[in-house]
Amino acid sequence: MTIKHFDQLLNKYANLIAQVGINVKPGQDIIVYAEIDQADLVHRIMDAAYKLGANQVIVEWKDTILQREFLKHADEATLSSMPAWFSVRAESLMANHTSRISIVSNDPDGLSDVASDRVSLYEQAYQRANSAVRQATMNNDVAWLVVAAAGKEWSQKVFPELSTTDAQDKLWQEIFNINRISLDNDVIADWQAHINTLNEKATWLNNQNFKELRYHSAKTDLTIGLAEDHVWEAAESFNKAGNRFVPNMPTEEVFTSPDYRHIEGTVQSTKPLSYSGVLITDIKLTFEKGRVVAADATNGKETLEQLIKTDDGAASLGEVSLVPHDSPISNSNIVFYTTLIDENASDHLALGAAYPSNVKNGTQISVAERQANGQNDSLVHVDFMIGSSDMNIDGVSQDGSIVPVFRNGNWA
């Protein structure tokens, strides 16, 4: 694409992020998390947000190289604890209802040469210290959004046959395509139509009120109970102030909360998972009475095992999500090596915490009350992809009758 066309498309992307993704309101504070090579996109988001009346746009810059060297060389005492100011800052941001935009662009395998136990030590310390942000995000107290940008190393991972420049250009084009951005379309109207379509699927599932879902494919034989009073959601969410936002761009999913006490069988991933800078491939998990009792992976097995050991809740599921195999991202036949995009090409599950909004009145009741309904709680929430063209999913109604939900990977 020409420089002029790229400039126009990037502006539409920034406006979409601010207007639909976060849905900036006058007086709102926003924090953007981004790699240092994404300043151009950050500046455009900042400009779009201020035009919509934002009070201030804070930016937290990240650098994978700095992170990698820190994780390699810091002593274990430093890795396992965060400075006091970190928690204070997190609490202050959420007390001020600061909206969050996370831009994914880094190398999905950028920390693969760091010992998994060191990565795990730091990740657990970070999650504990950042609990105010994590809880406010999971509870939809604030508007939050995860989007993608084409970093050089990531682009090369997705398109290894191309030069660095061509790979980055190609990845940007794919990001625009899967976010419904073209030079001549009304992207805001197209997104509203897409949201309406996904909401129709969520409404149908809520009306069914299934007791459990049964998954069958060549790689998976799994039964997942659904939480009591579970609620299926789609593209849109609403923050504590009642303002709509879209947490993921792109999005093709409808999702709800499993009952962490009632999960039985075996499931295998169909796409790689990038977790804490390490690629985990061919994940295979066996569940008994709601908990992982066996875990394996072709690559990244130690990282997977460390993830499952994070806390008690990390060994069970917090999300079940349905995505048709015949969808724009899946049909691209591209493995993007980032959960944000790959999870929207495939049915997926999440180890760890459930979203409170996925049970009736979940954002107003205590963790203990949600757990009584079957919702899982954990420091982590990590999606992994399980969808395929041969995936069949049946819903089991409260009276035991069977309703086809997916056949051969698509809505039945």
Side-chain angles (χ1 to χ4, degrees):
M1 77 190 110
T2 66
I3 293 175
K4 179 182 178 182
H5 287 169
F6 175 75
D7 190 66
Q8 292 172 325
L9 292 167
L10 198 63
N11 275 335
K12 291 186 81 168
Y13 191 31
N15 286 326
L16 176 68
I17 288 167
Q19 191 172 336
V20 176
I22 285 294
N23 188 14
V24 176
K25 298 300 181 185
Q28 191 172 356
D29 286 358
I30 299 162
I31 183 167
V32 182
Y33 307 90
E35 292 281 326
I36 56 175
D37 62 345
Q38 296 303 325
D40 189 10
L41 176 58
V42 171
H43 293 162
R44 294 170 195 248
I45 293 171
M46 178 184 66
D47 182 61
Y50 280 133
K51 285 178 178 176
L52 290 168
N55 176 53
Q56 63 172 331
V57 179
I58 307 159
V59 182
E60 184 172 303
W61 298 108
K62 299 183 289 183
D63 181 353
T64 299
I65 295 174
L66 289 178
Q67 181 74 349
R68 182 170 60 237
E69 295 308 304
F70 165 73
L71 290 172
K72 280 184 176 181
H73 299 291
D75 59 42
E76 289 192 0
T78 301
L79 291 177
S80 59
S81 64
M82 299 291 289
W85 63 260
F86 188 89
S87 295
V88 173
R89 180 174 185 262
E91 290 166 4
S92 176
L93 286 168
M94 294 304 97
N96 201 38
H97 307 296
T98 306
S99 295
R100 307 176 62 237
I101 301 173
S102 298
I103 301 175
V104 176
S105 67
N106 57 311
D107 182 354
D109 210 17
L111 302 179
S112 60
D113 59 346
V114 181
S116 61
D117 58 337
R118 294 178 66 81
V119 175
S120 179
L121 264 181
Y122 177 78
E123 186 67 27
Q124 291 181 38
Y126 177 89
Q127 292 297 342
R128 287 192 299 268
N130 201 46
S131 62
V133 171
R134 180 179 60 83
Q135 289 170 9
T137 301
M138 295 291 290
N139 207 45
N140 290 343
D141 291 341
V142 299
W144 58 277
L145 169 65
V146 186
V147 295
K152 288 183 180 179
E153 291 81 6
W154 177 31
S155 301
Q156 201 76 72
K157 186 84 177 179
V158 179
F159 302 111
E161 73 283 2
L162 301 179
S163 69
T164 300
T165 300
D166 288 346
Q168 196 168 14
D169 190 60
K170 173 69 171 171
L171 184 54
W172 268 122
Q173 188 61 66
E174 292 298 333
I175 290 170
F176 295 142
N177 288 342
I178 61 181
N179 280 290
R180 295 171 160 74
I181 299 169
S182 64
L183 289 171
D184 56 0
N185 75 323
D186 183 342
V187 65
I188 307 299
D190 286 355
W191 262 90
Q192 185 55 59
H194 178 52
I195 290 168
N196 291 343
T197 298
L198 291 174
N199 282 342
E200 289 173 4
K201 297 296 185 185
T203 298
W204 179 79
L205 287 162
N206 282 321
N207 289 337
Q208 296 298 316
N209 189 31
F210 291 126
K211 180 180 178 181
E212 63 186 31
L213 297 177
R214 295 176 182 171
Y215 292 71
H216 295 281
S217 73
K219 295 182 176 182
T220 292
D221 184 4
L222 186 69
T223 297
I224 301 177
L226 299 181
E228 297 173 31
D229 295 327
H230 66 273
V231 176
W232 288 91
E233 293 184 90
E236 62 183 7
S237 296
F238 294 86
N239 67 10
K240 206 169 187 177
N243 297 322
R244 188 181 80 171
F245 65 98
V246 178
N248 289 170
M249 288 182 155
T251 183
E252 302 289 340
E253 66 176 320
V254 291
F255 60 98
T256 194
S257 176
D259 186 332
Y260 74 94
R261 304 162 297 191
H262 300 296
I263 306 165
E264 302 285 339
T266 301
V267 61
Q268 189 166 336
S269 68
T270 52
K271 291 180 182 291
L273 164 66
S274 177
Y275 175 69
S276 291
V278 178
L279 273 182
I280 310 174
T281 59
D282 302 318
I283 296 169
K284 188 174 182 179
L285 302 176
T286 301
F287 288 84
E288 292 180 4
K289 297 180 180 178
R291 299 185 61 79
V292 175
V293 295
D296 199 6
T298 303
N299 297 300
K301 182 179 177 180
E302 288 185 3
T303 300
L304 175 64
E305 290 173 339
Q306 294 283 355
L307 165 61
I308 293 168
K309 293 176 183 176
T310 300
D311 55 25
D312 192 58
S316 192
L317 298 178
E319 180 186 336
V320 52
S321 182
L322 302 179
V323 180
H325 187 72
D326 184 17
S327 61
I329 303 171
S330 179
N331 290 339
S332 73
N333 292 316
I334 298 169
V335 177
F336 287 92
Y337 300 100
T338 182
T339 303
L340 167 67
I341 301 178
D342 287 334
E343 73 169 8
N344 285 293
S346 171
D347 297 318
H348 54 274
L349 306 172
L351 288 165
Y355 290 107
S357 58
N358 279 147
V359 293
K360 187 177 179 181
N361 299 322
T363 59
Q364 280 100 44
I365 61 179
S366 68
V367 172
E369 289 173 299
R370 291 195 291 105
Q371 286 180 312
N373 281 353
Q375 277 209 312
N376 196 25
D377 186 50
S378 174
L379 283 173
V380 296
H381 176 98
V382 180
D383 299 281
F384 62 100
M385 287 59 74
I386 66 167
S388 59
S389 61
D390 66 338
M391 178 64 78
N392 293 326
I393 305 173
D394 288 318
V396 181
S397 299
Q398 299 295 327
D399 63 5
S401 58
I402 305 297
V403 178
V405 178
F406 267 43
R407 287 293 179 269
N408 297 318
N410 291 307
W411 290 100

